[in-house]
Amino acid sequence: METYQQPANIQERVSPLMARAYLIRQGDAENQAMLSENSLQIKHRGKSRAFSLQYVQRLALEHRKLWLPLIGGGIVASLCLLALLHTFTMPYRLLTGAAIGLLGVWWGYRGSMALVVYEQRHHSDFLIARTEASLPVFIAFANRYIRRYPQPLEQYCVRLSLEEWQQLNLQGSLALNKPRLCVQQEAALRQDPGPDAIWAVFSPLQLANRLQWSLQGQELVVHVKGSLHVQELLLQP
């Protein structure tokens, strides 16, 4: 594997923050992933590492075998069992050693999940005992952004009735009574919003914390909640 050094100008702190996900459990600041406009920061077991999006190709959740306990346990178990065939002076100790070795083999083969950051020349694994529910959504969002980088994230559209659009322009804001599905602008161009309705365009980075991202199968979908402000939206041409 070729050694690759991160550029020195990447800051450890990423700002402004676009998306965040905890790796293991909600609220665990020692294990989290953060995406900014130009970099990805992974904080794993309290140690922070930053990656430039210029070099990141994709993120993934993958299973990894733990080779050290797998190989070490196999060696210990084999030696203990081999010794049992030649001596009976320490049977309990040897049987214990063989059991510990077999446990290491099982543990290594069972392995662990890992957040994998693929770069142009190598990849970095961050082992995690379990995954927090929002992590797969973060990975899907980050991969979509990385695929377009350095271009900005595509714009999205939300369907509004003509009455809601008029209220928005008159009052300056519109409170949504429930989260509303949004679609990519390219898809909205091919869809009819329906009678007495229009598509309103927005940048997902501008609405940020009012967007709810989720996965439906392998597809990343987004809903907007809360209030919309007139300066945040454009009428779909």
Side-chain angles (χ1 to χ4, degrees):
M1 184 172 62
E2 203 174 337
T3 303
Y4 176 70
Q5 187 175 1
Q6 286 289 338
N9 60 351
I10 301 177
Q11 296 180 352
E12 183 177 0
R13 289 291 178 183
V14 289
S15 181
L17 196 63
M18 289 171 49
R20 179 205 306 268
Y22 296 102
L23 304 184
I24 300 174
R25 58 181 177 273
Q26 190 70 22
D28 182 6
E30 297 298 302
N31 296 277
Q32 56 179 320
M34 293 167 282
L35 180 69
S36 72
E37 186 177 358
N38 297 306
S39 64
L40 170 73
Q41 183 182 4
I42 306 295
K43 196 169 185 181
H44 182 245
R45 297 172 182 171
K47 296 181 179 179
S48 183
R49 185 172 175 186
F51 301 85
S52 169
L53 296 186
Q54 180 181 356
Y55 303 101
V56 176
Q57 294 184 324
R58 65 185 177 94
L59 307 182
L61 268 179
E62 298 180 359
H63 181 265
R64 289 287 188 263
K65 288 183 174 63
L66 305 176
W67 292 107
L68 182 60
L70 182 62
I71 296 173
I75 293 173
V76 170
S78 299
L79 291 175
C80 289
L81 292 174
L82 185 62
L84 276 173
L85 297 176
H86 295 83
T87 179
F88 294 96
T89 57
M90 298 183 298
Y92 295 111
R93 291 184 181 181
L94 291 174
L95 284 173
T96 301
I100 293 173
L102 291 174
L103 180 62
V105 171
W106 172 82
W107 182 29
Y109 184 80
R110 179 174 178 267
S112 173
M113 293 301 295
L115 173 63
V116 187
V117 181
Y118 284 94
E119 298 178 85
Q120 293 176 350
R121 301 183 183 182
H122 73 183
H123 62 82
S124 302
D125 295 355
F126 299 90
L127 297 179
I128 46 181
R130 60 181 185 275
T131 57
E132 209 276 327
S134 65
L135 185 56
V137 180
F138 173 88
I139 291 173
F141 175 83
N143 284 339
R144 173 171 290 184
Y145 184 76
I146 290 167
R147 283 194 298 268
R148 293 180 58 89
Y149 186 83
Q151 299 178 6
L153 198 64
E154 66 266 49
Q155 292 186 315
Y156 277 74
C157 295
V158 58
R159 182 185 283 107
L160 298 178
S161 67
L162 293 179
E163 182 180 351
E164 289 174 328
W165 181 252
Q166 291 172 356
Q167 177 185 342
L168 186 65
N169 282 275
L170 288 174
Q171 300 181 3
S173 64
L174 173 69
L176 301 176
N177 54 7
K178 62 179 181 179
R180 192 164 301 186
L181 179 66
C182 306
V183 298
Q184 295 180 41
Q185 187 177 16
E186 293 180 1
L189 287 172
R190 301 190 296 267
Q191 297 180 21
D192 185 355
D196 301 325
I198 54 96
W199 289 115
V201 185
F202 64 89
S203 167
L205 300 184
Q206 191 170 11
L207 296 190
N209 57 0
R210 281 167 283 168
L211 297 180
Q212 295 178 328
W213 298 89
S214 61
L215 282 174
Q216 292 184 358
Q218 298 298 318
E219 184 180 0
L220 184 66
V221 298
V222 60
H223 292 76
V224 61
K225 62 178 182 178
S227 298
L228 300 175
H229 304 283
V230 66
Q231 65 269 23
E232 299 169 336
L233 303 174
L234 297 172
L235 182 63
Q236 172 68 50

